[in-house]
Amino acid sequence: MMKIRLNTSTVLQGSLQDIPVPTRVRIPLQEKHKSVVKKKQIVGCGQVIAEISSKSAYNLGFVHSSINGMVEDILPDAIIVGPIPAPKEGEEAPVPARTEPCAELDTLAGEELCRKLLELGVTTSGMHATRTVIVNGLNPEPGMIASEHLLESASETLKAGIQLLERALKPGSIKLVIATGRQFTVHGCTTITASDVYPATIDPLVIYAATGAERPDNVDILSVVDLYHIGRVAETKLPFTQSVVSVKDKVFCVPVGTAVEDLLTAAAVSIGPDKIVTLGGPMRGASIFDMAIGIDKSCSAITMVDVGQFPPVQPNPCINCGECVLACPARIHPGMLSRYAEFEMFDEARSHHVEACLECGMCTFVCPANRPVLQYLLLAKAALIAQDEEVAACRLQDL
Ligand code: SF4
Ligand code: SF4
């Protein structure tokens, strides 16, 4: 097994850093988002460019332009905003719309406030009224430092976020979970300490550490980075159009959709064929091959992994050693489940609780056969979701 440090707490230094405003951004969209702009339309920073058609207060947040510019392209998974072309001779230069602060934000409460937050770009789908709210203040993975950095440097913004959440959700209590030995506090939260050794830092295990219950149905959890986004909305009354992203030992605030290569250039990080670049952390991040990909609001780290640092995973046979069972925090049998998935025995995978997998990646990390264990489990989960959707869509007359 490859030995790397799995503690996620780290020595903190410096403040949030800006980068030069990029001339072009590729703003990611989710499948549910519907574009509300047209190609060649001039848009201002903070202007809505994609919405959710549902009127619910609890859904994905609207998407806003993160720079002043012109819509260059509308793709299924992104809207590209580039520079405004120079006006033709005799024509006036187009002026991007200016977004005004939302005056109602101070007076709304409950569901109406949640809906307004959604329109201002906050994803509210995980929020419910009157539950216990847990703020996960642990850095989620080794090398991802944004959470503790914000706890150290942005206490007023986090306090503003808590005050807004209190009005929106009227929670029973708000608990902040931090690493054992750390001293962070956030006004309005009860502080609880927990292990910072991965995978104890992922949400289901943080909920367990804070409540003593597995999968309780009266708890909502959000990260410190999510709370910072809400706090910035509270402070400015404007959509927060930035991503907070760590690169090595620095934390940057960049316009959503900034190309990975623009951030790495600003961070003075050189990339070459000897590096794998990952959106997210080393355990659960997604490796990318296109450095022009835009950074999403939910991405809180760019990680570089040296080629060859880890042996490549391959569809090698399982040797039934049990290492993955010992490492699995969900107490399921990853090796057996991976074999079911490998041979498309998805119903057997379901009956052995594949859905309980927390997607922490520890099974792949410890597997001496270098099998893509988690990847097999993700395949089984996706196949079962597709199967369930197909069944749900069946009507009697189709039979
Ligand atoms: S990713 Fe692997 S180790 Fe983690 S919960 Fe799922 S099966 Fe267990
Ligand atoms: S999947 Fe890997 S770690 Fe798990 S039992 Fe098989 S060989 Fe061992």
Side-chain angles (χ1 to χ4, degrees):
M1 170 181 162
M2 174 71 59
K3 297 283 181 204
I4 67 166
R5 188 177 172 273
L6 290 179
N7 296 69
T8 61
S9 290
T10 189
V11 178
L12 301 169
Q13 50 190 5
S15 52
L16 275 181
Q17 300 194 17
D18 294 323
I19 67 166
V21 177
T23 54
R24 180 172 284 103
V25 289
R26 187 187 173 107
I27 301 171
L29 301 180
Q30 303 295 318
E31 213 174 305
K32 281 183 175 180
H33 285 128
K34 299 274 174 284
S35 166
V36 293
V37 289
K38 297 188 179 118
K39 273 194 200 179
K40 300 199 173 169
Q41 183 175 335
I42 304 298
V43 290
C45 181
Q47 181 175 336
V48 175
I49 57 173
E51 291 182 352
I52 297 289
S53 46
S54 154
K55 297 283 177 225
S56 166
Y58 307 102
N59 215 318
L60 290 175
F62 285 9
V63 180
H64 305 80
S65 181
S66 57
I67 59 171
N68 290 331
M70 185 185 77
V71 176
E72 290 184 342
D73 208 352
I74 301 168
L75 306 170
D77 62 350
I79 293 179
I80 300 175
V81 179
I84 299 172
K88 292 181 186 146
E89 207 176 321
E91 287 183 1
E92 286 195 12
V95 180
R98 187 185 152 89
T99 304
E100 295 300 328
C102 173
E104 301 165 272
L105 205 63
D106 284 338
T107 52
L108 294 175
E111 193 171 331
E112 287 179 340
L113 178 53
C114 286
R115 176 67 197 184
K116 187 53 68 182
L117 288 173
L118 178 149
E119 291 170 7
L120 290 168
V122 175
T123 289
T124 55
S125 45
M127 296 182 179
H128 303 83
T130 68
R131 292 190 179 184
T132 296
V133 172
I134 294 176
V135 179
N136 184 350
L138 301 168
N139 287 328
E141 297 182 36
M144 296 179 78
I145 62 170
S147 293
E148 289 197 348
H149 196 285
L150 291 174
L151 284 169
E152 174 91 5
S153 64
S155 57
E156 285 304 309
T157 304
L158 298 178
K159 177 180 164 186
I162 290 291
Q163 287 169 342
L164 199 59
L165 276 182
E166 282 173 338
R167 264 197 295 129
L169 302 177
K170 301 184 176 51
S173 63
I174 307 180
K175 299 177 180 181
L176 169 71
V177 178
I178 61 168
T180 303
R182 307 298 255 178
Q183 303 293 333
F184 306 118
T185 55
V186 172
H187 186 86
C189 300
T190 310
T191 304
I192 292 173
T193 57
S195 168
D196 70 334
V197 179
Y198 189 84
T201 52
I202 64 176
D203 285 349
L205 299 180
V206 169
I207 291 174
Y208 181 66
T211 65
E214 289 189 26
R215 300 176 186 268
D217 57 10
N218 61 345
V219 170
D220 289 341
I221 187 163
L222 75 165
S223 71
V224 165
V225 177
D226 294 335
L227 181 61
Y228 179 79
H229 290 172
I230 296 169
R232 290 296 294 142
V233 171
E235 287 178 333
T236 63
K237 301 184 178 54
L238 291 167
F240 184 58
T241 58
Q242 309 258 301
S243 302
V244 178
V245 194
S246 67
V247 180
K248 294 194 165 178
D249 61 350
K250 297 192 176 71
V251 183
F252 295 85
C253 213
V254 302
V256 173
T258 297
V260 171
E261 62 192 348
D262 289 348
L263 173 55
L264 294 181
T265 302
V269 173
S270 58
I271 43 170
D274 59 333
K275 299 276 185 217
I276 297 166
V277 178
T278 299
L279 290 182
M283 306 301 286
R284 294 182 297 171
S287 55
I288 55 169
F289 55 86
D290 179 3
M291 293 302 133
I293 199 165
I295 297 169
D296 195 9
K297 210 183 264 188
S298 61
C299 172
S300 64
I302 306 285
T303 306
M304 271 67 60
V305 179
D306 291 334
V307 170
Q309 185 180 353
F310 300 97
V313 291
Q314 289 168 349
N316 297 323
C318 172
I319 57 174
N320 211 18
C321 67
E323 287 287 341
C324 55
V325 182
L326 295 174
C328 177
R331 303 192 305 276
I332 52 179
H333 196 317
M336 177 65 79
L337 289 164
S338 72
R339 280 177 274 165
Y340 284 142
E342 188 176 7
F343 297 104
E344 299 186 6
M345 298 166 67
F346 300 126
D347 289 332
E348 284 80 358
R350 188 188 323 252
S351 62
H352 285 79
H353 312 297
V354 68
E355 282 136 340
C357 168
L358 307 175
E359 301 178 13
C360 69
M362 286 303 293
C363 45
T364 306
F365 183 65
V366 300
C367 176
N370 302 325
R371 279 168 64 77
V373 188
L374 170 58
Q375 289 80 351
Y376 279 133
L377 269 61
L378 293 175
L379 173 73
K381 283 179 155 191
L384 288 168
I385 289 171
Q387 195 174 301
D388 291 347
E389 284 175 353
E390 210 171 306
V391 171
C394 275
R395 294 168 302 167
L396 282 177
Q397 61 265 39
D398 294 334
L399 300 174

